[in-house]
Amino acid sequence: MESTDKISITTKTLSSGNCQVKFFIEDEKKPQYGYLLVNEPKSVGDIIDEIKNRLERRREEMMNLNPFFPLPPVEEDHKFYLFSA
């Protein structure tokens, strides 16, 4: 299970009115960062909960991969991007 206890975020309001959230997951074994696009104003706690939910969903989807066809069975999420740091 991924450690998501140490998540830090920075926000930026885009010209479209949406909010771009850049987040960092501070994990010694697997540091990660990513972006989340938020359409409406949310509190920091709600944003962090949304990030945790999407990370958990992504982890579950990766566990369900067929070893013979290792393609993610989900649609691309254009509002959530995750990278290894």
Side-chain angles (χ1 to χ4, degrees), residues 17-74:
N18 292 334
C19 183
Q20 179 188 46
V21 179
K22 183 173 184 179
F23 61 90
F24 299 91
I25 301 170
E26 300 167 23
D27 184 353
E28 290 181 15
K29 295 179 183 176
K30 189 177 178 185
Q32 296 175 307
Y33 71 97
Y35 297 90
L36 173 67
L37 183 65
V38 180
N39 296 331
E40 70 245 7
K42 291 186 176 185
S43 70
V44 172
D46 288 343
I47 291 172
I48 290 176
D49 287 343
E50 178 74 20
I51 292 168
K52 287 181 179 181
N53 289 337
R54 288 180 186 238
L55 287 170
E56 181 65 22
R57 192 175 332 139
R58 182 170 284 194
R59 187 185 67 77
E60 288 173 0
E61 290 165 354
M62 294 305 289
M63 290 178 62
N64 292 329
L65 287 179
N66 183 334
F68 299 107
F69 301 100
L71 297 175
V74 297

